[in-house]
Amino acid sequence: MISSTPVSDRERRSRNIARPHLPADGLITDQEVMPAEYTPASFDPLSTEQIANTICETFERQPLVSMTHEIPRFEGSGLYALYYRGVSVDLYLPIASLQIPVYAGQALSSNSTTGERVRERYPLHSRLKQHRLSIMEGGLPISEFRFRALLLPDVHADLGENALRVGYTPVWNSKLTGFGSKEQGAATRKSKKSKWDTVHDGRRRTHGGVVHDIGKLAMESKAHIAQQVNSYEELPWPHPATDTYLDLDTP
């Protein structure tokens, strides 16, 4: 016999909680179904990878600084990268509006071989000054290049540089190598011309002769840059929405 005892509002609410609500079509939505297998996401804020990603994200929020004029001297060591932001060098046009650097490097406060402190008070500034001269001597328009820099402890600068090199594979680090090299004595002067100097000839240094095919280097670099653009969105840190520019008017 079916009881006709009235059901109280409290009991009705209790029954509604115990019994899942079904949509009008009688189907349970995906959000209401527990997957057969489930593992929570893992996050270690102090992992090497996470620290490197944080460094790169912070680094890319720094302003892009004009290299047209001499860079005012500043103390300290850290991470830096060079960017093309022009219209006249066809090879680099595909990355002129992206966060892909043409070169990434670091300037350390300690000698990586001996661990001794470097006497230079301005290691990061000195590297940027050297690179500015190399770009101009290589026949490239210095007004179309920018740099980005961040003062960092050596260990973090090393992590950041490695992440930028692995993530972006900058063309001057990977294909047109030799840009960051220094001429240091007779042995170096007798070595073969670097790939960078072959494509951007003009630096005031001596070489053992041209051994690279300039046409082949240009073609390989063009293909490399196209691949960089295709994989641009695959990095584990977000790109800034817009760039901040800083023009140095110091003559």
Side-chain angles (χ1 to χ4, degrees):
M1 181 175 64
I2 301 176
S3 172
S4 60
T5 303
V7 179
S8 66
D9 290 341
R10 181 177 181 180
E11 186 176 357
R12 184 180 294 108
R13 288 195 299 269
S14 176
R15 291 180 182 180
N16 288 338
I17 293 174
R19 182 179 180 181
H21 173 72
L22 294 179
D25 57 8
L27 299 177
I28 299 178
T29 64
D30 291 341
Q31 292 180 343
E32 296 171 316
V33 176
M34 176 63 72
E37 296 182 4
Y38 169 70
T39 302
S42 176
F43 177 66
D44 179 359
L46 297 180
S47 69
T48 300
E49 181 181 5
Q50 181 59 37
I51 293 173
N53 292 345
T54 300
I55 291 170
C56 290
E57 183 178 355
T58 303
F59 176 77
E60 291 189 345
R61 290 201 299 264
Q62 306 311 305
L64 286 171
V65 184
S66 170
M67 302 183 77
T68 303
H69 303 292
E70 287 284 350
I71 303 166
R73 191 165 61 170
F74 57 87
E75 296 187 18
S77 56
L79 178 65
Y80 69 91
L82 308 179
Y83 300 82
Y84 180 71
R85 290 292 186 270
V87 295
S88 65
V89 185
D90 291 343
L91 180 59
Y92 306 124
L93 278 179
I95 56 175
S97 61
L98 304 177
Q99 296 301 333
I100 301 174
V102 293
Y103 186 79
Q106 60 178 312
L108 303 181
S109 62
S110 299
N111 186 297
S112 60
T113 302
T114 65
E116 296 179 357
R117 299 289 293 182
V118 176
R119 293 181 181 178
E120 172 66 66
R121 290 174 57 190
Y122 315 97
L124 183 51
H125 173 267
S126 295
R127 289 294 282 171
L128 291 169
K129 182 178 180 180
Q130 172 199 341
H131 293 334
R132 179 177 179 271
L133 181 60
S134 290
I135 292 171
M136 290 190 294
E137 290 184 345
L140 293 165
I142 193 62
S143 62
E144 297 186 356
F145 284 84
R146 302 286 188 274
F147 76 84
R148 177 176 276 137
L150 183 64
L151 298 176
L152 286 168
D154 288 356
V155 62
H156 294 139
D158 187 63
L159 283 176
E161 182 196 27
N162 183 70
L164 290 176
R165 288 194 179 199
V166 172
Y168 288 118
T169 60
V171 64
W172 291 359
N173 291 103
S174 56
K175 291 298 179 182
L176 299 182
T177 54
F179 170 74
S181 64
K182 298 180 180 179
E183 188 175 48
Q184 298 175 341
T188 304
R189 289 193 294 268
K190 291 179 181 178
S191 63
K192 62 184 180 181
K193 181 178 288 189
S194 75
K195 293 180 179 180
W196 191 89
D197 287 290
T198 300
V199 174
H200 302 301
D201 191 21
R203 282 199 288 189
R204 292 179 294 181
R205 55 178 62 192
T206 55
H207 307 280
V210 177
V211 295
H212 301 290
D213 184 325
I214 186 172
K216 182 180 179 181
L217 284 177
M219 185 170 57
E220 290 176 348
S221 298
K222 182 177 180 180
H224 178 76
I225 289 173
Q227 180 59 40
Q228 287 179 301
V229 174
N230 289 337
S231 59
Y232 181 63
E233 299 298 338
E234 297 177 5
L235 289 177
W237 64 85
H239 304 298
T242 57
D243 283 327
T244 301
Y245 288 88
L246 179 61
D247 290 323
L248 304 178
D249 297 327
T250 305

